[in-house]
């Protein structure tokens, strides 16, 4: 279907003799039309006329900035039916004016065709009526893709949220999703998770413009789930590309995770849990993100199972586990340590354990004197009731602190 969009936008470019760009309603790039004058002027003037920072960014990064979006939307393009002329705004990087042709279907705007405008094209030009006809065809394609995407998203959500013990429900969801995906269902596949992501942020609507994504859904209490088709069984580059594309949208503190590749849909629920664990680890430890792979998050592979997201489907609660007294709650040993006024003590204890109990390394990492370190560690023992010379106590404290970090992330 992507090829259909490209053919249609090339048709617009040829019709008007100026480069056209097609974006979805979230300003994600779908297709763009090149023009023989793009950057070909002897002194660069043609390229300067045909390109500006906004178009260049849209093509290279496949998305416009929030400031540019606000400028365009201020001219009522979300409600417009007819083409809209938009003047330049150099402060936002919009160095050239544009004509926006809304792409609508069923009374709903689904995207925009953008035409770089030097003022020569009148809004009454009959060729714009032809462009509107192309926009209607694009609108029909986008609407069909949206319906198909919503169906695939619903089936993926059903597969991911089915209780592991309800084998019949899992098998039904798997069979229905396989029927929709056809040969793609046989793999290789990978799961990508993005957190945080609320259902209000959209699920299947995120799919257009994400290369390799075959199904997308928001999972309540967890995050955004993206099923990605891989080019080879061991190569996760398409999954990383999809994750990076999703993180380009303005979402404070968001991170993404990638599960191990799987062959067929049977491994998708497990890969989803891995991807979600990796995403949570990336939020908890900035050194792991913003995109983390399950096989590279170390102890967080175990900790994520011990401290699942509260209320998240497919993750059994684990009261009494080493990392928590209840799902998402800190172990009693670290509760006092995690109080707001004692976070420095918690940071010191975690650094000490990360450094394998080596005082010199720990003091250097924290930038404190050894005597200060020893004082803090004695206070940690008093607050927790744990003996830092005891291997099991150190293991419990280390796991509890990491689990608390994971839950806070």
């Amino acid at each position: 279907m992507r090829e259909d969009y490209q053919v249609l936008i090339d048709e617009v470019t040829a019709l008007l003799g100026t480069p056209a760009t097609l974006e979805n309603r979230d300003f994600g790039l779908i297709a763009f039309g090149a023009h023989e004058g793009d950057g070909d002027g002897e002194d660069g003037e043609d390229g300067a006329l045909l390109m500006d920072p906004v178009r260049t960014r849209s093509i290279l990064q496949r998305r416009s900035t929030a400031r540019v979006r606000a400028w365009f939307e201020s001219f009522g393009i979300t409600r417009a039916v007819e083409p809209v002329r938009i003047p330049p705004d150099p402060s936002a990087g919009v160095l050239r004016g544009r004509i926006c042709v809304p792409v609508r279907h069923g009374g709903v705007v689904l995207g925009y065709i953008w035409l770089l405008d030097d003022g020569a094209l009148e809004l009454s030009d009959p060729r714009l009526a032809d462009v509107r006809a192309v926009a209607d065809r694009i609108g029909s394609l986008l609407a069909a893709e949206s319906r198909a995407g919503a169906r695939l998203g619903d089936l993926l959500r059903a597969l991911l949220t089915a209780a592991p013990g309800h084998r019949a429900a899992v098998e039904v969801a798997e069979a229905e999703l396989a029927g929709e995906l056809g040969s793609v269902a046989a793999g290789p596949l990978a799961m990508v998770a993005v957190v945080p992501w609320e259902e209000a942020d959209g699920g299947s609507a995120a799919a257009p413009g994400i290369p390799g994504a075959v199904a997308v859904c928001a999972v309540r209490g967890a995050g955004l789930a993206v099923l990605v088709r891989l080019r080879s069984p061991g190569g996760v580059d398409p999954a990383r590309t999809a994750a990076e594309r999703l993180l380009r949208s303005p979402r404070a503190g968001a991170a993404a995770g990638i599960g191990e590749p799987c062959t067929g849909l049977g491994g998708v629920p497990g890969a989803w849990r891995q991807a979600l664990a990796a995403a949570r680890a990336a939020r908890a430890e900035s050194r792991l993100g913003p995109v983390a792979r399950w096989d590279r998050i170390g102890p967080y592979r175990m900790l994520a199972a011990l401290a699942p997201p509260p209320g998240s489907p497919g993750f059994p609660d684990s009261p009494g586990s080493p990392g928590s007294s209840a799902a998402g709650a800190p172990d009693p040993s670290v509760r006092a340590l995690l109080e707001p006024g004692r976070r420095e003590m918690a940071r010191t204890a975690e650094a000490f354990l990360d450094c394998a109990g080596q005082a010199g390394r720990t003091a250097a990492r924290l930038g404190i004197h050894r005597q200060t370190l020893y004082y803090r560690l004695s206070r940690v023992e008093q607050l927790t009731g744990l003996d830092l010379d005891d291997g099991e106590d150190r293991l419990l404290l280390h796991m509890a602190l990491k689990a608390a970090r994971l839950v806070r992330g």
Side-chain angles (χ1 to χ4, degrees), residues 212-223:
V214 296
V216 182
C217 69
V219 179
R220 184 188 300 273

Side-chain angles (χ1 to χ4, degrees), residues 66-336:
R67 185 171 182 180
V68 169
R69 176 173 179 167
W71 173 250
F72 290 159
E73 289 183 342
S74 70
F75 290 88
I77 61 174
T78 61
R79 302 179 302 277
V81 176
E82 302 290 337
V84 177
R85 174 167 270 123
I86 299 175
D89 179 16
S91 65
V94 185
L95 302 185
R96 293 198 58 196
R98 281 161 170 71
I99 291 177
C100 174
V101 181
V103 175
R104 307 179 70 90
H105 184 83
V108 178
V109 64
L110 300 177
Y112 308 100
I113 295 175
W114 298 98
L115 308 169
L116 292 181
D117 174 42
D118 57 7
L121 184 66
E122 296 293 336
L123 294 183
S124 59
D125 192 307
R127 291 178 297 174
L128 282 178
D130 295 331
V131 174
R132 287 191 57 197
V134 174
D136 290 341
R137 290 156 62 191
I138 292 174
S140 296
L141 284 175
L142 286 173
E145 185 173 354
S146 179
R147 289 191 297 270
R151 167 68 174 163
L152 289 169
D154 289 343
L155 292 175
L156 178 61
R157 185 184 299 106
L159 178 60
L160 300 181
T161 58
H166 295 173
R167 187 58 198 166
V170 174
E171 290 176 350
V172 168
E174 185 178 325
E176 291 188 359
L177 184 56
E180 293 289 338
L181 292 178
S183 61
V184 173
L189 302 164
M191 282 301 305
V192 171
V194 179
V195 295
W197 194 286
E198 301 298 330
E199 288 182 290
D201 294 329
S204 59
I210 304 177
V214 296
V216 182
C217 69
V219 179
R220 184 188 300 273
L224 184 74
V226 186
L227 181 62
V228 179
R229 182 180 186 178
L230 302 179
R231 291 188 287 268
S232 61
V236 297
D237 285 349
R240 175 171 288 278
T241 299
E244 291 172 346
R245 183 70 49 77
L246 285 161
L247 291 180
R248 287 177 187 169
S249 60
R251 195 173 305 283
I258 303 171
E260 290 189 318
C262 55
T263 300
L265 297 177
V268 164
W272 159 242
R273 290 190 287 271
Q274 292 174 350
L276 184 55
R280 295 175 64 215
R283 290 198 76 207
E285 293 274 10
S286 59
R287 62 183 175 82
L288 296 174
V291 180
R293 287 175 47 172
W294 160 258
D295 60 349
R296 298 181 181 177
I297 60 173
Y300 284 104
R301 292 198 295 267
M302 295 179 62
L303 291 169
L306 299 176
S312 60
F315 287 77
D317 290 344
S318 52
S321 66
S324 61
S325 58
D331 186 271
S333 64
V334 299
R335 284 178 184 164

